[in-house]
């Protein structure tokens, strides 16, 4: 699989099979991903890769929190989105959300929608592996951008191995539960989780649209 094919086929998969992913494959991907760029070569990411019984227990604990009506989740340490989204960003967000709910079989007017979505997320959509990416609290916006480039590198390398992934900022809602499970100390901030595995057969495949190139790129001197 070449780079263009990896980029084109990468998408957030929300239904994984229980087929295990070999440790050798994961080590190969994460070793290659160390070549991801970072300003000043700080390499600011701290990664915990969880699978097997430790992941099963983490899923159980997170799902219990998701189903608890009196648990609003942990206070967020960074905003997931700006306080007020405006067009065209709000339009893109709304369109993608509608597609996502439809693919998951959850009606927008379903009163149990938030709980159903939280439960699917807390189960990592059935993925047998979840990678948790942390950053040191002393890091700034530049290093958060570095972490994004690192995770994109990981996701593309996973595609080269025939694997899929789903980045999940949702795990920050249960950051205390995650930190207890992986042993991350207070000097680290949970950026997101990344569910990893083989896509489950026979489920609707969601591929969200993308804005036209002219909406985002201005060519100068061409």
């Amino acid at each position: 699989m070449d780079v263009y094919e990896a980029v084109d086929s990468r998408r957030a998969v929300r239904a994984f099979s229980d087929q295990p992913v070999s440790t050798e494959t994961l080590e190969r991907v994460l070793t290659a991903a160390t070549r991801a760029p970072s300003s000043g070569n700080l390499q600011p990411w701290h990664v915990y890769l969880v699978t097997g019984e430790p992941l099963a227990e983490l899923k159980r604990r997170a799902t219990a929190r998701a189903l608890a009506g009196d648990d609003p989740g942990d206070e967020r340490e960074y905003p997931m989105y700006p306080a007020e989204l405006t067009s065209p960003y709000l339009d893109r967000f709304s369109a993608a959300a509608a597609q996502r709910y439809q693919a998951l079989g959850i009606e927008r007017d379903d009163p149990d929608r938030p709980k159903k979505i939280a439960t699917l997320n807390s189960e990592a959509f059935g993925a047998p592996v979840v990678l948790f990416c942390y950053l040191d609290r002393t890091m700034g916006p530049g290093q958060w951008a570095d972490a994004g480039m690192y995770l994109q590198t990981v996701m593309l390398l996973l595609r080269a191995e025939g694997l899929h992934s789903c980045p999940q900022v949702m795990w920050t809602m249960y950051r205390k539960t995650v930190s207890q499970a992986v042993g991350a100390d207070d000097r680290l901030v949970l950026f997101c989780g990344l569910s990893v595995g083989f896509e489950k057969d026979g489920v609707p495949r969601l591929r969200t649209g993308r804005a036209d190139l002219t909406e985002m790129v201005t060519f100068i001197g061409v």
Side-chain angles (χ1 to χ4, degrees):
M1 180 181 295
D2 66 21
V3 176
Y4 280 92
E5 186 178 357
V7 171
D8 186 61
S9 63
R10 189 220 61 81
R11 54 194 170 82
V13 165
R14 292 181 173 84
F16 293 91
S17 75
D18 58 4
Q19 180 179 348
V21 180
S22 73
T23 300
E24 291 78 8
T25 299
L26 295 170
E27 288 180 344
R28 183 163 57 246
V29 165
L30 296 177
T31 298
T34 63
R35 301 304 307 175
S38 62
S39 181
N41 199 33
L42 296 187
Q43 304 166 74
W45 44 82
H46 296 260
V47 173
Y48 297 87
L49 192 143
V50 189
T51 187
E53 181 53 34
L55 179 59
E57 176 60 22
L58 175 56
K59 288 181 180 181
R60 285 192 289 268
R61 294 173 62 189
T63 299
R65 294 190 63 181
L67 292 173
D70 58 349
D71 188 344
D74 299 323
E75 182 181 359
R76 291 191 181 276
E77 296 191 288
Y78 71 91
M80 189 172 178
Y81 301 105
E84 294 186 12
L85 282 176
T86 58
S87 183
Y89 314 110
L90 180 60
D91 304 328
R92 296 170 186 166
F93 176 87
S94 299
Q99 288 180 285
R100 185 164 57 251
Y101 297 140
Q102 183 178 17
L104 292 173
I106 301 173
E107 299 294 333
R108 287 187 67 89
D109 57 356
D110 185 340
D112 291 327
R113 184 185 69 180
K115 186 174 291 186
K116 289 180 179 179
I117 293 173
T119 301
L120 287 170
N121 272 280
S122 64
E123 293 173 348
F125 304 105
V129 178
V130 180
L131 177 156
F132 293 101
C133 182
Y134 284 80
L135 287 141
D136 193 291
R137 292 184 185 279
T138 61
M139 297 294 106
Q143 289 72 55
W144 285 70
D146 291 341
M149 289 189 285
Y150 169 76
L151 289 171
Q152 174 74 343
T153 302
V154 170
M155 288 187 281
L156 295 182
L157 289 167
L158 289 169
R159 288 302 303 124
E161 297 284 353
L163 293 160
H164 278 284
S165 61
C166 181
Q168 295 176 266
V169 176
M170 157 272 160
W171 283 106
T172 60
M173 292 178 59
Y174 308 124
R175 58 183 176 80
K176 294 181 180 178
T177 301
V178 175
S179 293
Q180 289 172 357
V182 302
D185 60 41
D186 290 340
R187 68 187 175 89
L188 298 177
V189 177
L190 178 59
F191 180 16
C192 72
L194 182 70
S195 295
V196 176
F198 293 94
E199 186 173 19
K200 188 175 183 179
D201 293 330
V203 296
R205 294 185 174 184
L206 173 62
R207 183 177 173 85
T208 54
R210 291 295 187 267
D212 187 81
L213 183 67
T214 58
E215 292 185 40
M216 298 176 289
V217 179
T218 301
F219 289 93
I220 299 174
V222 177

